[in-house]
C-alpha cells in the first residue's frame, strides 16, 4: 500500500528541511507533496534542493498566498496513492509513523487516524508528550470534539492519516485561510459520522514557536470558529 505525505508550507525556511527529512526517512518510503503557499523566504529554494536529492518529492507553488484550506485541498487533489498523511512544515514524523498507521488502517479501512505526539520547542528539544483519551462511544467522542472546539481549541492535532478516497470525498474548505482543520473535523464527525481512530503512540513531534498562527491571531481564530459553527449548524450538525 502506497502512501503520500502532504506538507503545506508557508515561510518555514527554518524548519522545512527537518520536516521533509523526517518524512523521507520513514521505514516505509512515501511519496512527498509539498505545496508552498506563496512564501517570501527561502522555503521554495530549500525544497527544490531537497527535491534534487530525493526523487520522490513533488513541489507545487501557489501563485499567491491562498491560505491553509486551499493548500490542504490542493494536496488532496494531487494525491495519487492509496493513503494520504499530513505533516505540518514545522513538525517532524517519527520513523515508524507510516508503518504504524498502515497496521491500523488494515483493521479500520474507512477511518481517519490520529496519534499522540511529542511537544518540542523552536530548537527541537522535547518538552513532553500529549496523549489522547479513549472513548466508550462515538457520541462521547463527538461531544468532546465539540466541547473543546467551543473553547477555541482542537481536540486532535491534524497531522492525520486517511484513505485518499475518503479525503477526496470530504476535502478541506478552500475558503478557510486558517481553522480549516476544525471545520474539517466538525464536518466529518457531526455531518458525515466518519470514524476517527486514536493511535496510542507518540508518532510525531509538534513544534511550539512564536510564529504559529495560534500564537498570533487568537481573536481572528475565535471569529473564524464562530463562522465554522454557523456553517456546521446549517448543514444539520448539533453544536
Amino acid at each position: 500500500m502506497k502512501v503520500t505525505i502532504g506538507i503545506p508550507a508557508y515561510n518555514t525556511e527554518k524548519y522545512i528541511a527537518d520536516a521533509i527529512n523526517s518524512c523521507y526517512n520513514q521505514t516505509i518510503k512515501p511519496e512527498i507533496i509539498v505545496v508552498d503557499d506563496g512564501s517570501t523566504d527561502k522555503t521554495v529554494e530549500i525544497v527544490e534542493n531537497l527535491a534534487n536529492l530525493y526523487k520522490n518529492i513533488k513541489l507545487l507553488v501557489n501563485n499567491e498566498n491562498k491560505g491553509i484550506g486551499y493548500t490542504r485541498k490542493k494536496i488532496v487533489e494531487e494525491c495519487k496513492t492509496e493513503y494520504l498523511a499530513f505533516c505540518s512544515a514545522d513538525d517532524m514524523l517519527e520513523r515508524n509513523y507510516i508503518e504504524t498507521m498502515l497496521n491500523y488502517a488494515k483493521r479500520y479501512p474507512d477511518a481517519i487516524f490520529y496519534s499522540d505526539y511529542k511537544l518540542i520547542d523552536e530548537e527541537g528539544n522535547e518538552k513532553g508528550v500529549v496523549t489522547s483519551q479513549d472513548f466508550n462511544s462515538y457520541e462521547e467522542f463527538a461531544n468532546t470534539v465539540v466541547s473543546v472546539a467551543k473553547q477555541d481549541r482542537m481536540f486532535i492535532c491534524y497531522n492525520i492519516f486517511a484513505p485518499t478516497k475518503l479525503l477526496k470525498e470530504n476535502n478541506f474548505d478552500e475558503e478557510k485561510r486558517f481553522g480549516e482543520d476544525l471545520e474539517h473535523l466538525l464536518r466529518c464527525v457531526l455531518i458525515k459520522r466518519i470514524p476517527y481512530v486514536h493511535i496510542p503512540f507518540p508518532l510525531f513531534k509538534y513544534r511550539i514557536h512564536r510564529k504559529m498562527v495560534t500564537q498570533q491571531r487568537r481573536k481572528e481564530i475565535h471569529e473564524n470558529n464562530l463562522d465554522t459553527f454557523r456553517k456546521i449548524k446549517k448543514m444539520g450538525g448539533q453544536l
Side-chain angles (χ1 to χ4, degrees):
M1 291 181 285
K2 293 186 177 181
V3 177
T4 294
I5 300 177
I7 306 177
Y10 176 66
N11 285 349
T12 52
E13 63 180 4
K14 185 175 180 181
Y15 308 118
I16 187 67
D18 286 343
I20 291 174
N21 284 328
S22 77
C23 295
Y24 180 79
N25 291 320
Q26 292 289 301
T27 57
I28 296 176
K29 287 290 185 286
E31 301 295 317
I32 300 171
I33 298 176
V34 181
V35 176
D36 181 82
D37 193 22
S39 292
T40 57
D41 64 1
K42 294 183 179 179
T43 297
V44 170
E45 178 183 339
I46 293 169
V47 177
E48 288 176 336
N49 289 337
L50 287 171
N52 289 328
L53 182 63
Y54 304 146
K55 302 306 180 185
N56 59 339
I57 297 177
K58 181 177 183 179
L59 171 64
L60 302 171
V61 180
N62 295 339
N63 56 12
E64 61 183 2
N65 182 255
K66 300 278 193 177
I68 184 65
Y70 178 95
T71 302
R72 278 195 190 258
K73 182 180 180 183
K74 190 170 184 177
I75 288 171
V76 173
E77 291 172 343
E78 290 289 331
C79 182
K80 301 295 190 293
T81 58
E82 187 175 355
Y83 289 95
L84 172 62
F86 281 94
C87 178
S88 296
D90 46 6
D91 296 341
M92 291 183 287
L93 302 183
E94 298 287 5
R95 289 194 71 244
N96 64 334
Y97 176 91
I98 291 177
E99 183 177 357
T100 305
M101 287 293 187
L102 283 177
N103 286 335
Y104 278 83
K106 294 172 185 176
R107 294 155 54 187
Y108 306 96
D110 298 308
I112 294 174
F113 302 87
Y114 66 101
S115 75
D116 300 334
Y117 54 93
K118 299 174 183 177
L119 293 173
I120 58 174
D121 62 18
E122 293 190 42
E123 305 308 320
N125 301 304
E126 293 186 12
K127 296 298 182 180
V129 176
V130 176
T131 59
S132 175
Q133 69 188 92
D134 290 316
F135 299 93
N136 296 317
S137 67
Y138 194 88
E139 285 67 28
E140 185 182 353
F141 169 74
N143 288 338
T144 300
V145 167
V146 171
S147 175
V148 173
K150 288 181 176 179
Q151 302 171 46
D152 292 335
R153 297 187 292 116
M154 277 288 292
F155 173 69
I156 295 172
C157 185
Y158 235 54
N159 282 349
I160 56 172
F161 182 100
T164 303
K165 182 176 182 292
L166 185 63
L167 292 179
K168 287 183 182 290
E169 293 170 351
N170 303 276
N171 210 333
F172 292 87
D173 182 351
E174 66 180 21
E175 300 298 324
K176 290 290 183 183
R177 297 192 64 82
F178 52 87
E180 86 302 335
D181 46 4
L182 178 62
E183 190 279 336
H184 190 261
L185 175 64
L186 292 176
R187 177 158 40 91
C188 288
V189 171
L190 300 181
I191 307 302
K192 297 301 183 71
R193 304 280 297 181
I194 295 171
Y196 276 68
V197 176
H198 168 227
I199 312 302
F201 307 105
L203 294 180
F204 65 94
K205 298 177 181 180
Y206 179 79
R207 195 185 306 267
I208 304 295
H209 57 90
R210 288 165 291 180
K211 293 185 178 181
M212 298 172 69
V213 170
T214 51
Q215 301 296 321
Q216 295 179 322
R217 305 165 74 173
R218 294 188 181 277
K219 184 176 180 180
E220 289 178 77
I221 289 171
H222 178 70
E223 294 300 322
N224 180 77
N225 289 353
L226 292 179
D227 180 69
T228 292
F229 297 157
R230 288 190 288 268
K231 173 184 175 180
I232 297 298
K233 285 181 179 179
K234 286 182 180 179
M235 297 175 72
Q238 299 296 315
L239 284 162

